[in-house]
Amino acid sequence: MKSNKMPLKTKFFNKQRFSKRSISAASILACAVFLVLINLVFYLSAQRYSFLGIDLTRDKLFRISPDTVRFLHSLEKDVTIYVLAREETFAETSSYNAQANQVFRQFERNGPAVSLVYVDYVKNPGFAASYPDLTIKHGDILVFCENTGRRSLVKTEELFNYTGGYNNLSIGSSRAEEALYAAILNVTSDRPIKAVFISGHGEYTMDAFTGVLQMNNYEISRVNLISGAIDSSTDIAIIIAPKDDYGEEELRILDEFLYNGGNYGKTLFYCADADQSYPENIGVFLREWGVSVEDGAVFETDERRVYNYQPFYPVADYAEEEFSSLIRTTTKPMLVPVSRPLSKIFDFRNNNSVKILLEFAASAGVRPSDAPLDFTSDDALIKGPIPALALCRYTIIDRSTGKAEAESNVLVSGSTAMLDSFAIENPGFSNTEYLVNVLNKLSSRHDIIPLRPKSYTSTALNLPRLTVNIIGLVFIVLIPLLILSIGLAVWIKRKHS
């Protein structure tokens, strides 16, 4: 009778083969689960921590500055950023919105006290109804501080800077970081800087410069001196190229502002303009502080020191270290276009002192306002170096310590165009960073980081040769070798099993 039982050896062999297959399948499954878990960990970590991402754009469009990161780490007050749209809807509106959304995420990731909330504006219309005094629309950003109860609204369009004419506007640069930083500082700061623009005599408004100050948490207002005095809480009064002269009463108001009841601590920022006649009374006022604004316009003969090959658009050198040491690098020039020449009347006189902050080079000269049409650089009577920005100070010295007890400042520039958009918003110049730092220090503020817009142009991945070689080595050599090694190890193990 034939037995149906399998021989013991064959039975053991099949069982061993089945066991090996089970182990192999289990190993593959375990590796797959491991890889999935690793990818999940990296994905979740990348959502929370910024160090896992690499921004290869030249202007670091998708990363916030180290100064902003430090500010967020030190923030002790709880802040909530409300984006009035679903995240997918907001980010998919345009590539510009997508970049801004990455900036929002950077603020959340780097700020332990910062929360980011997306509000479905369509399904939750009651959110806007909670703020009846604000005009809120879909896509706007509301920043709220739990500790102070203050809030700041950032319009969607305020996340960008625009170029082109009125009927042909296009987005030129991102100011999402600046706008959000300024909003957070505004709702958490105990004391914003208050700056007032003097008006009533045809002064320029300089919207680009005003916007930079607002981005950096300056509280902006305007006042006509004919209507009364400057509020005592004001830190800085700004006069930009008045077409008409000031009267004695208006100059007296400026004197009282700088005197501040004997407490001083105020700053007046005056900008002249080469295209306008110079007001006589204002000239007398400034000469008392130690600076004279002269006739003519400064030109540059060295084409390496001009903007866009325009001789009347020269750059100026940093002439001292007190303020130039505050900026990240002095290799970026200061553009001081269409400038009147300044002259220093004295270095020290009683409690007054004058310091030149910016200076045109020895290769510069001055073209008089009444120069003939055939005027050449060789005809210039005034040649460089020529002061471009001067700081006049009145200082009260503590006799017991010999240190400054109080001081007021008059900052004088020969150029109005140094505040225009092509100078302020150009990342190739230090105009924004330098001027904000100067005004911050003169106002005794140290918690403001000077920020500038980030350009969307020229964002090609211009990688250094070393970086290109490393990336190529990793993806072309190391990863394939790793995969090959793993496969070879598995094959050898199976062969000898």
Side-chain angles (χ1 to χ4, degrees):
M1 187 175 177
K2 192 179 280 189
S3 174
N4 292 326
K5 292 184 178 179
M6 185 180 296
L8 184 61
K9 185 176 180 180
T10 304
K11 192 174 182 180
F12 176 78
F13 176 78
N14 290 340
K15 185 177 180 181
Q16 188 180 40
R17 185 172 60 181
F18 176 77
S19 177
K20 288 181 178 179
R21 288 178 178 176
S22 300
I23 293 173
S24 178
S27 299
I28 294 173
L29 180 62
C31 289
V33 171
F34 177 75
L35 289 174
V36 170
L37 289 175
I38 287 293
N39 279 288
L40 183 61
V41 168
F42 271 87
Y43 172 77
L44 294 176
S45 299
Q47 296 299 309
R48 184 65 183 90
Y49 302 103
S50 59
F51 64 86
L52 292 173
I54 301 176
D55 185 355
L56 298 178
T57 59
R58 189 176 70 176
D59 220 12
K60 300 302 179 186
L61 280 168
F62 303 98
R63 284 290 179 268
I64 57 178
S65 70
D67 286 333
T68 302
V69 171
R70 284 190 288 271
F71 164 75
L72 292 172
H73 284 168
S74 65
L75 191 62
E76 297 179 352
K77 297 174 182 176
D78 295 325
V79 172
T80 303
I81 301 170
Y82 293 101
V83 181
L84 303 185
R86 295 174 60 248
E87 182 174 10
E88 296 80 5
T89 305
F90 183 89
E92 292 173 3
T93 300
S94 69
S95 58
Y96 305 113
N97 278 39
Q99 180 269 335
N101 190 65
Q102 286 299 314
V103 172
F104 301 160
R105 284 295 184 186
Q106 287 289 306
F107 271 76
E108 181 192 34
R109 293 167 188 166
N110 291 283
V114 176
S115 301
L116 180 62
V117 178
Y118 293 87
V119 179
D120 192 330
Y121 191 76
V122 177
K123 293 184 178 180
N124 189 11
F127 182 88
S130 303
Y131 302 92
D133 56 326
L134 297 177
T135 304
I136 302 176
K137 70 178 186 305
H138 185 267
D140 288 346
I141 297 91
L142 183 68
V143 179
F144 178 74
C145 178
E146 307 288 343
N147 303 79
T148 64
R150 294 200 297 270
R151 68 269 203 283
S152 180
L153 181 65
V154 180
K155 300 288 187 180
T156 309
E157 56 270 22
E158 294 175 354
L159 299 173
F160 316 106
N161 285 313
Y162 301 86
T163 60
Y166 179 76
N167 295 319
N168 189 30
L169 287 177
S170 60
I171 295 177
S173 58
S174 170
R175 60 178 300 268
E177 179 182 351
E178 298 97 311
L180 209 54
Y181 172 84
I184 292 176
L185 194 59
N186 185 46
V187 299
T188 59
S189 179
D190 296 323
R191 180 187 171 272
I193 296 177
K194 294 185 177 181
V196 58
F197 283 80
I198 307 300
S199 62
H201 292 272
E203 293 88 349
Y204 289 130
T205 56
M206 307 309 292
D207 293 336
F209 179 61
T210 303
V212 163
L213 295 181
Q214 290 174 326
M215 276 194 291
N216 287 278
N217 197 41
Y218 280 63
E219 199 172 282
I220 303 298
S221 61
R222 300 187 182 277
V223 66
N224 189 324
L225 297 183
I226 297 176
S227 61
I230 301 172
D231 190 278
S232 60
S233 64
T234 300
D235 299 287
I236 303 172
I238 303 172
I239 302 175
I240 304 179
K243 294 180 181 178
D244 304 318
D245 206 351
Y246 285 16
E248 291 184 5
E249 179 61 22
E250 291 164 301
L251 295 177
R252 185 189 63 79
I253 291 174
L254 292 179
D255 274 328
E256 289 184 351
F257 165 71
L258 293 167
Y259 180 64
N260 191 27
N263 296 315
Y264 299 95
K266 304 296 183 181
T267 296
L268 172 66
F269 183 22
Y270 180 86
C271 291
D273 193 294
D275 291 333
Q276 294 181 354
S277 60
Y278 186 54
E280 183 178 346
N281 292 340
I282 293 178
V284 173
F285 175 86
L286 294 178
R287 283 194 292 273
E288 291 177 353
W289 280 84
V291 167
S292 177
V293 180
E294 307 296 347
D295 175 69
V298 177
F299 63 85
E300 176 61 66
T301 59
D302 187 346
E303 64 178 14
R304 297 170 299 178
R305 299 181 56 85
V306 300
Y307 173 68
N308 204 23
Y309 301 102
Q310 298 292 329
F312 290 98
Y313 282 59
V315 299
D317 296 322
Y318 305 98
E320 54 72 57
E321 294 184 0
E322 180 183 358
F323 296 97
S324 62
S325 62
L326 300 177
I327 61 177
R328 295 180 180 90
T329 175
T330 55
T331 57
K332 282 188 178 181
M334 279 288 300
L335 183 65
V336 188
V338 196
S339 177
R340 281 178 173 268
L342 306 180
S343 64
K344 182 168 61 171
I345 297 176
F346 56 78
D347 290 311
F348 297 95
R349 188 173 68 186
N350 299 325
N351 292 70
N352 291 88
S353 63
V354 179
K355 179 183 291 186
I356 303 303
L357 306 188
L358 299 175
E359 192 172 57
F360 296 111
S363 52
V366 176
R367 183 185 190 278
S369 60
D370 58 354
L373 294 177
D374 59 352
F375 178 88
T376 67
S377 59
D378 294 332
D379 299 326
L381 298 179
I382 301 177
K383 296 184 178 181
I386 303 167
L389 182 69
L391 176 61
C392 311
R393 280 173 164 164
Y394 183 89
T395 307
I396 300 297
I397 303 296
D398 187 338
R399 294 184 179 180
S400 61
T401 62
K403 297 181 179 179
E405 184 177 298
E407 62 185 19
S408 279
N409 311 280
V410 175
L411 187 66
V412 183
S413 168
S415 168
T416 296
M418 72 182 297
L419 309 179
D420 218 333
S421 57
F422 66 86
I424 286 291
E425 296 174 1
N426 192 324
F429 300 120
S430 291
N431 290 44
T432 290
E433 185 177 7
Y434 183 78
L435 290 172
V436 171
N437 268 306
V438 169
L439 295 177
N440 284 348
K441 184 165 184 177
L442 295 180
S443 303
S444 301
R445 283 293 304 276
H446 307 289
D447 60 345
I448 293 179
I449 303 167
L451 301 171
R452 63 166 181 82
K454 293 184 177 181
S455 175
Y456 286 115
T457 60
S458 301
T459 56
L461 303 182
N462 299 319
L463 302 179
R465 174 57 57 184
L466 178 61
T467 304
V468 173
N469 292 338
I470 291 174
I471 292 175
L473 181 66
V474 169
F475 284 95
I476 298 175
V477 179
L478 295 183
I479 292 179
L481 281 178
L482 179 62
I483 295 174
L484 183 62
S485 300
I486 294 173
L488 185 62
V490 171
W491 180 77
I492 292 174
K493 185 178 180 181
R494 286 184 175 181
K495 183 179 180 180
H496 294 284
S497 299

